[in-house]
Amino acid sequence: MAIKKTMMGCGCFWCFEAVFQRLNGVIEVNSGFAGGEIESPSYEQVCTGTTGHAEVLEINYDDEIIAFKTLLDVFFSIHNPTTLNRQGADRGTQYRSIIFYTSDTQKLECENFIQQLNQSKKWGSPIVTELSSDAVFYSAGDYHKNYFNEHSEQGYCQTVIYPKIIKLTKDYTSLLKS
């Protein structure tokens, strides 16, 4: 087993935590914050948009089972990477599209993937996903962990997260845990 780590943000972490948890080869997914100036920020502080932090997932994965490029493919398919500081109704820098790469190899893979997406014009507008070197991860706490799995009947989960799960099961069936 070759455990690797990445951090990605693409809006509210509840929305994409449920997606990455379902991928075969993903060992652990933690919701939290990274990229800001405040040490150990609270959820309430990050929600103000003044800390510089983004809502992110810390994703630990076995790269012998799932490649980083596959994680990128899923990441770029479950959110709109062309909207700056916004995903759906969630607005602010804390909801920006961002990848914190942990190696030069990951950085190069990100740059190449974004270049290919831009050339394909898949999104119709340029990708605005920020790339940044590895940052300190701060956990959002237990309340935010497994949010969709524990609150799937809640309105936000049904209208915002559930469609992402449907898309994942339709488009990435071969990648799902059994």
Side-chain angles (χ1 to χ4, degrees), residues 51-72:
T51 66
H53 287 286
E55 289 195 14
V56 298
L57 293 182
E58 177 185 61
I59 303 167
N60 296 301
Y61 63 100
D62 183 342
D63 78 339
E64 292 177 3
I65 297 173
I66 190 165
F68 182 67
K69 186 175 181 179
T70 303
L71 295 175
L72 290 175

Side-chain angles (χ1 to χ4, degrees), residues 124-143:
S125 296
I127 305 293
V128 297
T129 301
E130 182 182 332
L131 300 180
S132 186
S133 59
D134 198 13
V136 176
F137 174 82
Y138 299 101
S139 174
D142 289 342
Y143 174 78

